[in-house]
């Protein structure tokens, strides 16, 4: 949605590569907010997964369908309820959480229909964001968060620590937590890491029931 | 043995399409069982094929027509002379490319363009069936389509594609014969025909049956045709294929060849004369009793009803890959109908894609040059062809 576009050696975005590395081969995967299907296509080729996608924009759906992927036009907030329970091994929400109306409900649904959920989001506590607010007294607009407040699709920003708190409140197990710094370096962090919360541009969580 | 009569293809388009126009008599030794419990034997099937079947017979696409369609999907209609109803989609180098795929399009059971229907001769009586024709279902139409595939030696078609009632046949085929299809493209359709649609069908049927020329269904014997009833049926139905926005854009309140309203009941408005034209040209090419039977088949279409109320049971663990397409302004087969199918397919763990195309052209959009429709179909077929490992090399 609204952050870095670094690419890994395999050609896909580095945050997508991180997600792909969390997924066991030949598993069943639902990518919610799959865009044009970049991650799904990669997973299908490199991990032999049985992949499905959901995407709000018709352009995205069309591109994904043209790749031979099974993608439906749908909304994470309203359409996840249609899937049966435990239908997938992994349900992915990549940089979409902050654009949902009810992030908590979305995460609940993801863990209802999948054994694991993988959630990535831009960390609103990154030092540059903090600096914008503290020093400039303004909402951050930069290459990481490019939208002005009045036109952003991102309506539910959170920080890494906020997200960890929500997981605890929901009794959701955090299996893996990774952050990406501005240089695209991946750091493993513990849930309470203030370091990750300050220097992590993006966070990726693998959640279990 | 079945008797075959194939018309040679004379003009350039026919040659370019490698078109075969044929009628084959099937179910001669063993009659076709019908959902009603009746059977029908010696069934003629009028069909077209375009393109060439490849060496491993894996590139066939079954094209299913809608209520008033026929096998003239690409070739010009023999009565109206107009291009085939899906000539914008199917052809050499087109979205459904006849240089790559082997297209099979047959007139449905109960139709009036050569496949056995109420106007065909009943071999038992030597007269047309008329209302002695058994009431048929979409399931029966598909059963016959499968017989045609058997005859053509196609064990598994690459795809089945159709809009409206054609989409119902695609769904039915995928459900009842999942091993006969690799992928399915049901467009602007439903798995359960709605009360509103049954209501419109009933208006059409009543208009036909109220016409004295219908002669209790025996008009063929009396050498008469219920022109007026069938035209009214078509006019009413045609409105349901459009949308308010499309009607307003196309006609508004424009007057037909006059400066002011006429204070009478001649066609003052363009929209009136358009509908009258639609009605009067339709009766030239369609049989009134066929209209009764085929609309009835749609009324009876209820896939969830046939599966204990659970549509997902119709597709449990299906290997068929689906792509559903609906249109925003289609109020006859609204997006919610397609979404119900998508939900059921997800519950059945099927591979499904779904796109709702933005269009203000109503249900008819599936027949029109809608770029997003065509892009989606092209993308899906290309993706699926790669998935299926289709080779478009040497043809048979």
């Amino acid at each position: 949605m609204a952050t870095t576009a670094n690419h890994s050696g395999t050609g896909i975005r580095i945050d997508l590569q991180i997600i792909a590395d969390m997924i066991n081969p030949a598993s069943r995967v639902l990518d919610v907010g799959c865009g044009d299907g970049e991650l799904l296509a990669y997973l299908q080729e490199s991990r032999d997964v049985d992949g499905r996608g959901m995407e709000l924009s018709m352009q995205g759906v069309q591109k994904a369908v043209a790749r031979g992927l099974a993608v439906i036009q749908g909304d994470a907030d309203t359409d996840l309820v249609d899937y049966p329970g435990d239908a997938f091994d992994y349900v992915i929400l990549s940089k979409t959480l902050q654009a949902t109306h009810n992030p908590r409900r979305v995460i609940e649904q993801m863990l209802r229909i999948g054994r694991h959920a993988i959630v990535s989001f831009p960390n609103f506590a990154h030092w540059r964001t903090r600096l914008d607010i503290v020093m400039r007294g303004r909402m951050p607009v930069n290459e990481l968060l490019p939208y002005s407040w009045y036109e952003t699709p991102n309506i539910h920003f959170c920080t890494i620590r906020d997200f960890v708190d929500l997981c605890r409140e929901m009794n959701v197990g955090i299996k893996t937590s990774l952050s990406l710094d501005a240089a695209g370096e991946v750091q493993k962090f513990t849930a309470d890491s203030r370091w990750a919360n300050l220097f992590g541009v993006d966070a990726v969580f693998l959640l279990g029931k | 043995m079945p008797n075959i009569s194939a018309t040679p293809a004379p003009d350039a388009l026919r040659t370019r399409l490698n078109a075969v126009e044929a009628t084959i008599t099937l179910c001669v030794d063993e009659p076709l069982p019908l959902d009603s419990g009746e059977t029908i034997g010696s069934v003629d099937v009028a069909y077209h094929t375009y393109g060439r079947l490849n060496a491993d017979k894996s590139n066939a696409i079954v094209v299913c027509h809608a209520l008033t369609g026929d096998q003239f999907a690409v070739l010009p209609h023999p009565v109206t002379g107009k291009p085939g109803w899906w000539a914008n989609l199917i052809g050499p180098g087109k979205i459904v490319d006849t240089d790559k795929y082997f297209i099979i399009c047959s007139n449905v059971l109960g139709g009036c363009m050569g496949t056995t229907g109420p106007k065909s001769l009943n071999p038992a009586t030597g007269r047309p069936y008329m209302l002695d024709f058994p009431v048929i279902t979409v399931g029966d139409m598909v059963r016959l389509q499968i017989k045609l595939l058997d005859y053509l030696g196609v064990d598994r078609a690459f795809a089945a594609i159709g809009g409206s009632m054609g989409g119902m046949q695609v769904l039915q085929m995928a459900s009842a014969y999942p091993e006969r299809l690799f992928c399915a493209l049901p467009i602007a359709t439903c798995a359960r025909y709605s009360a509103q649609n049954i209501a419109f069908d009933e208006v059409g049927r009543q208009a036909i049956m109220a016409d004295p020329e219908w002669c209790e269904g025996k008009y063929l014997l009396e050498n008469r045709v219920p022109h007026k009833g069938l035209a009214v049926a078509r006019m009413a139905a045609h409105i349901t294929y459009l949308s308010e926005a499309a009607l307003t854009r196309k006609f508004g309140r424009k007057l037909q060849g006059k400066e002011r309203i006429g204070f009478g009941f001649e066609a003052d408005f363009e929209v009136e004369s358009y509908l009258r034209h639609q009605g009067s040209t339709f009766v030239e090419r369609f049989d009134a009793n066929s209209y009764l039977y085929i609309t009835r088949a749609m009324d009876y279409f209820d896939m969830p009803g046939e599966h204990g109320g659970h549509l997902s049971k119709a597709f449990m663990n299906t290997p068929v890959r689906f792509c559903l397409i609906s249109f925003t302004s289609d109020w006859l087969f609204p997006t919610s109908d397609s979404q119900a199918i998508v939900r059921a397919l997800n519950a059945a763990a099927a591979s499904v894609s779904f796109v709702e195309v933005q269009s203000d052209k109503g249900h008819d959009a599936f027949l029109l040059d809608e770029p997003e429709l065509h892009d989606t179909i092209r993308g899906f077929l290309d993706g699926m062809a790669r998935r299926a490992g289709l080779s478009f090399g040497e043809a048979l």
Side-chain angles (χ1 to χ4, degrees), chain A residues 28 44 49-53 58-59 61-62 65-74 79 82-84 87-88, chain B residues 323 342-343 346-347 349-358 371-373 375-376 379-380 382-384 386-387:
Chain A
R28 286 178 55 82
Q44 213 153 274
V49 304
D50 182 2
R52 307 291 154 80
M58 190 170 66
Q59 291 75 12
V61 177
Q62 272 173 357
V65 168
R67 285 179 141 151
L69 301 169
V71 173
I72 67 169
Q73 203 167 17
D79 297 334
D82 294 337
Y83 288 87
F88 296 95
Chain B
C323 179
V342 170
R343 270 198 296 278
N346 276 328
S351 169
V352 53
S353 296
F354 165 61
V355 175
E356 183 190 33
V357 170
Q358 293 281 339
E372 287 169 350
L373 166 70
D375 288 350
T376 304
F380 181 71
D382 287 354
M384 286 297 115
R386 280 196 305 278
R387 209 27 123 64

Side-chain angles (χ1 to χ4, degrees), chain A residues 74-141:
Chain A
D75 186 331
D77 275 304
T78 54
D79 297 334
L80 289 177
V81 293
D82 294 337
Y83 288 87
D86 290 320
F88 296 95
D89 298 311
Y90 301 91
V91 180
I92 301 168
L93 190 71
S94 155
K95 300 200 180 172
T96 302
L97 184 72
Q98 75 282 357
T100 64
H101 283 276
N102 192 335
R104 180 180 176 140
R105 180 89 188 112
V106 170
I107 294 167
E108 278 169 7
Q109 285 295 328
M110 290 171 71
L111 283 167
R112 179 185 66 79
I113 61 184
R115 292 196 301 126
H116 301 96
I118 300 175
V119 180
S120 78
F121 56 88
N123 172 31
F124 206 67
H126 184 256
W127 65 269
R128 280 191 56 185
T129 306
R130 297 188 195 201
L131 214 60
D132 270 342
I133 293 174
V134 172
M135 302 303 288
R136 295 176 57 230
R138 294 183 190 283
M139 287 296 280
V141 179

Side-chain angles (χ1 to χ4, degrees), chain B residues 162-171 185-193 197 298 301 323-327 330 332-341 363 366:
Chain B
S164 201
M165 188 184 82
M168 296 180 201
Q169 293 167 69
V170 172
L171 288 171
L185 265 156
I187 303 170
T189 193
C190 68
R192 167 176 264 173
Y193 207 60
N197 289 7
M298 290 199 292
F301 191 63
C323 179
L324 284 105
I325 303 172
S326 70
F327 299 93
D330 184 348
L332 200 58
F333 294 89
T335 289
S336 54
D337 281 351
S338 289
Q339 280 168 329
I341 300 166
H363 182 57
F366 84 90

